[in-house]
Amino acid sequence: MNTELLGIYLNDHLAGAMAGTELARRISRTHPELRAVADDIESDRKELLDVMRSYGVEPRPHKAAIGWLTEKAGRLKLNGRLLGRSPLSDVLELETLRVGIEGKAALWRALTTLQPEERFDRLLSRAESQADLVDQYRLRLAPKAFSSPHVSGVDVERTFTVAAEPGNVVEYLRDFSRAEQWDPGTVSCTRLDEGPVEVGSRWHNVSTFLGRKTELVYELTRDDAKGLQFVGTNDAATSTDDIAITPGSSPGTTNIRYHAHVDFRGFAKLGAPVAKLALEKLGSDTEKNLIRVLGDVR
């Protein structure tokens, strides 16, 4: 056996496994239902390292680094949107992941020709199951991506899990005046009307953004099984907060998908690229605050 060529082959696949692991982790943050696939892909990378040790092949760190950098570089593709995440990104990322899984399946088949093992049969079967699941999910998302309307503005999205019942999460977030507790930019948020909080309820929100005070009037525009939506407006912008709330995988937990979209008007559009960077940080801080307020899943 030519161990030098085998070493090159296995290290090349190790670079692909690193890229696939990073991509799967990122996809699972947007789509928590694919977290089990991401965990399996990470396990497959560890299995590959074990196989390399069994053949006396040393991992080459620079190959793994190339895989890591390749995944990061893939994020730079715009996919039809300059400042926000495109619906097409989901489809292309899942297609890339599917191709990577097929390459992994080819690896297990090739190794079977050298030394048939039950382990390779098991790993091949798992790869085929991963490919089918990823492709089913991709095909469900494709029609939505290709029929999505053209939008402008800035998008920020975060998906995370909190240790609270879905009903309690909805009840807490429905009253937008509580944004003072979880929105890092909010200075004050005051109800403008009275009575039960329901669709049509309005709040006066004062925030700081990029070092300046910003005032918007927010309205609860949706309160249904899909979650909540708040729309804030002023002369310069319209800010839409979509909050999807679904039961978590464990009892007493809730998945939250927080999507903020800001449309700027007039001269404010010129500041959109800078606003995108600031909103990304606000999105991360909002996620941390909501986990702190609603409960951390440990």
Side-chain angles (χ1 to χ4, degrees):
M1 183 186 301
N2 189 326
T3 55
E4 180 182 356
L5 293 180
L6 180 62
I8 294 172
Y9 178 71
L10 292 177
N11 270 287
D12 284 347
H13 272 282
L14 181 61
M18 176 61 76
T21 298
E22 290 294 317
L23 178 58
R25 284 173 179 164
R26 179 152 63 94
I27 290 173
S28 71
R29 285 194 288 270
T30 305
H31 303 286
E33 53 271 42
L34 293 177
R35 190 165 294 152
V37 174
D39 291 341
D40 280 350
I41 290 173
E42 167 67 16
S43 296
D44 291 343
R45 186 184 69 85
K46 294 176 180 177
E47 293 259 18
L48 175 55
L49 286 168
D50 187 57
V51 168
M52 293 172 71
R53 283 191 290 269
S54 71
Y55 284 116
V57 174
E58 289 293 326
R60 298 177 182 175
H62 73 278
K63 289 279 189 176
I66 289 172
W68 184 86
L69 288 170
T70 298
E71 192 279 329
K72 303 304 177 191
R75 303 186 186 194
L76 300 177
K77 192 176 188 306
L78 297 178
N79 301 330
R81 295 279 176 85
L82 177 61
L83 297 172
R85 179 175 172 82
S86 167
L88 188 58
S89 295
D90 283 333
V91 177
L92 290 174
E93 287 177 355
L94 288 167
E95 285 185 358
T96 301
L97 187 61
R98 169 69 188 268
V99 169
I101 292 171
E102 290 176 347
K104 177 172 59 181
L107 163 68
W108 304 136
R109 293 190 189 99
L111 292 178
T112 300
T113 66
L114 297 179
Q115 184 178 344
E117 291 185 24
E118 182 278 331
R119 168 166 61 174
F120 296 144
D121 292 337
R122 172 175 54 82
L123 291 170
L124 176 57
S125 177
R126 183 157 74 177
E128 290 172 343
S129 297
Q130 291 168 5
D132 287 343
L133 181 59
V134 168
D135 210 40
Q136 290 172 19
Y137 204 78
R138 178 184 68 90
L139 293 176
R140 286 203 301 270
L141 291 177
K144 297 178 183 178
F146 299 137
S147 61
S148 62
H150 176 74
V151 297
S152 60
V154 176
D155 288 276
V156 175
E157 187 173 296
R158 296 290 184 274
T159 301
F160 51 94
T161 304
V162 297
E165 296 283 351
N168 294 337
V169 172
V170 171
E171 185 64 27
Y172 175 81
L173 293 177
R174 182 181 284 123
D175 186 353
F176 201 65
S177 62
R178 295 193 177 107
E180 296 177 9
Q181 301 172 19
W182 55 264
D183 180 4
T186 294
V187 176
S188 65
C189 194
T190 307
R191 180 87 182 269
L192 293 176
D193 43 32
E194 298 179 350
V197 174
E198 58 189 6
V199 171
S201 295
R202 298 161 71 241
W203 294 262
H204 177 247
N205 182 280
V206 180
S207 301
T208 56
F209 185 67
L210 294 174
R212 301 182 63 180
K213 186 173 81 170
T214 302
E215 298 186 41
L216 297 97
V217 172
Y218 274 89
E219 180 178 342
L220 177 59
T221 56
R222 193 185 75 237
D223 182 358
D224 55 30
K226 294 182 180 179
L228 305 167
Q229 182 185 78
F230 298 92
V231 177
T233 57
N234 62 15
D235 292 340
T238 297
S239 177
T240 303
D241 288 3
D242 269 306
I243 308 174
I245 300 167
T246 56
S249 57
S250 301
T253 64
T254 300
N255 295 326
I256 297 177
R257 186 172 182 177
Y258 176 81
H259 176 210
H261 176 79
V262 182
D263 265 321
F264 296 98
R265 289 187 285 275
F267 287 110
K269 290 182 178 180
L270 299 176
V274 176
K276 170 65 173 176
L277 297 176
L279 284 170
E280 284 290 347
K281 184 179 186 308
L282 279 176
S284 297
D285 290 343
T286 296
E287 175 182 348
K288 293 176 184 176
N289 287 347
L290 282 172
I291 290 174
R292 173 181 55 78
V293 171
L294 295 170
D296 193 358
V297 177
R298 299 185 183 278

